[in-house]
Amino acid sequence: MNIDYTVGEVELTYKSTSKSRNKIYSSEDAYKYLLPTYKEGTICYKEYFKVLFLNQSSQVLGYTLISEGGITETYADVRVILQAALLTNSVAIILAHNHPSGNTKPSRQDIEITKQVKDAARLMRITVTDHLILTDAEYYSFADEGQL
């Protein structure tokens, strides 16, 4: 039997693309930073799950779109979130997703994914500082509401 056991090569790189960085002092700061990352009209159309990456000084290293879903839900993979956090050298992250309905109340699934990411990130000494549920007019902060 001639079996090829070749394994794909992975190359990891880190390159900062920003000279000045916004600092996140509050959930409102995070909301104001994330809101413009939604293209006009999309925040009320379907769900998007994003992560904001922070350094030790709570400065924004960047953000990424984790998943794009439908009208009532999107799936966020904990492994993809942590992979991105590790690749950006983040020490803290802020989870964020929108509710097209305009209702900012967290669902059971929102609470579960928050706990899953928080528990997994803790193993790598990455802090989940907040999880925001955004609409075009307001937001819900897990941290502000004592849910984190």
Side-chain angles (χ1 to χ4, degrees):
M1 223 154 74
N2 189 8
I3 299 175
D4 184 5
Y5 290 102
T6 304
V7 177
E9 183 178 342
V10 176
E11 181 181 340
L12 301 178
T13 62
Y14 176 81
K15 180 180 177 185
S16 179
T17 59
S18 177
K19 299 291 184 227
S20 65
R21 296 194 168 116
N22 294 330
K23 193 162 184 169
I24 303 297
Y25 294 100
S26 66
S27 59
E28 184 178 0
D29 290 341
Y31 175 71
K32 287 179 179 177
Y33 185 90
L34 286 163
L35 193 59
T37 69
Y38 289 85
K39 292 179 186 170
E40 189 174 336
T42 60
I43 200 165
C44 299
Y45 176 56
K46 61 183 173 180
E47 281 199 21
Y48 300 89
F49 197 104
K50 299 182 180 190
V51 177
L52 192 59
F53 305 106
L54 305 174
N55 67 13
Q56 185 68 31
S57 300
S58 296
Q59 294 173 319
V60 176
L61 297 170
Y63 75 93
T64 194
L65 174 65
I66 297 297
S67 65
E68 183 176 325
I71 297 168
T72 59
E73 64 187 353
T74 189
Y75 175 75
D77 190 325
V78 176
R79 295 166 295 188
V80 173
I81 293 168
L82 292 180
Q83 176 190 43
L86 291 169
L87 289 172
T88 57
N89 285 337
S90 299
V91 298
I93 58 176
I94 296 174
L95 310 175
H97 76 284
N98 63 305
H99 279 179
S101 66
N103 179 0
T104 57
K105 184 176 185 227
S107 68
R108 182 179 52 78
Q109 292 88 350
D110 296 339
I111 294 166
E112 285 176 13
I113 190 66
T114 305
K115 182 179 179 347
Q116 289 172 1
V117 174
K118 182 180 172 186
D119 291 348
R122 184 182 303 123
L123 293 172
M124 291 180 239
R125 298 177 51 201
I126 297 171
T127 305
V128 176
T129 59
D130 209 342
H131 183 170
L132 300 180
I133 299 173
L134 300 85
T135 70
D136 58 349
E138 61 182 337
Y139 68 94
Y140 176 93
S141 163
F142 277 69
D144 292 353
E145 299 299 326
Q147 296 292 320
L148 204 56

